[in-house]
Amino acid sequence: MLKGKTIILGVSGSIAAYKAASLASLLVKNGVDLQVIMTKNATNIINPITFETLSGHKCYVDTFDRNFEFNVNHVSLAKKADLFVIAPATANVIAKLSNGLCDDMLTTTFLASKCKKLIYPAMNTAMYENQITQDNIEKCRHYGMIVSEPSAGHLACGDDGKGKMPEPEEIFSKIQEILA
């Protein structure tokens, strides 16, 4: 079902970034041509080498990386994608996406892509429940992005509440549903 599909996985700087490695593995095992783009903040949580090893492709972080064959990477990647998934999506990334702010490889590629877009928020409960974040999420939905509800439970910060990224298997099921 996913064989031959190209998916871009965006990974932002939430502690949940470690779950993205399991999602990447699931996607590749099911025949996906996986391209991974990380924010610089995400590289403080998980190393790009992890995604390069799992995907078999360069993991993009820097829009202006000079170590490549010439093409405009954020545009060429965007054109190839059947689906763009951001998991985890921080409040910062969601704010950028909802306002068309493009200041890194992830946000420029996201804006340039015309495929379906799936966003998985992951952050502290107070940040998630903040009206500004909720407004940004609604704005993303208004623009046709599919924004998942985060799970509730014990968060890495020690709080209990909504803000956890769903498990990779749940995200994988949603991806299968969308690309079916």
Side-chain angles (χ1 to χ4, degrees), residues 70-155:
F70 182 77
N71 60 17
V72 182
N73 280 324
H74 65 281
V75 174
S76 62
L77 283 174
K79 286 180 180 177
K80 286 176 48 171
D82 295 299
L83 181 66
F84 203 127
V85 180
I86 300 182
T90 60
N92 183 54
V93 164
I94 292 168
K96 289 179 184 183
L97 300 178
S98 70
N99 290 290
L101 179 61
C102 302
D103 65 352
D104 60 16
M105 185 66 174
L106 177 59
T107 54
T108 55
T109 308
F110 190 88
L111 191 65
S113 69
K114 294 181 179 180
C115 63
K116 289 188 178 186
K117 298 169 181 170
L118 184 55
I119 300 169
Y120 284 92
M123 63 198 75
N124 169 272
T125 303
M127 292 172 74
Y128 178 73
E129 292 175 348
N130 186 294
Q131 192 57 53
I132 296 168
T133 302
Q134 290 303 305
D135 289 349
N136 287 335
I137 288 170
E138 284 311 309
K139 204 170 176 183
C140 287
R141 288 181 175 137
H142 169 77
Y143 289 124
M145 301 169 214
I146 302 164
V147 184
S148 170
E149 289 292 315
S151 300
H154 188 72
L155 304 175

Side-chain angles (χ1 to χ4, degrees), residues 10-25:
V11 181
S12 66
S14 162
I15 191 68
Y18 76 92
K19 289 184 178 181
S22 294
L23 176 60
S25 180

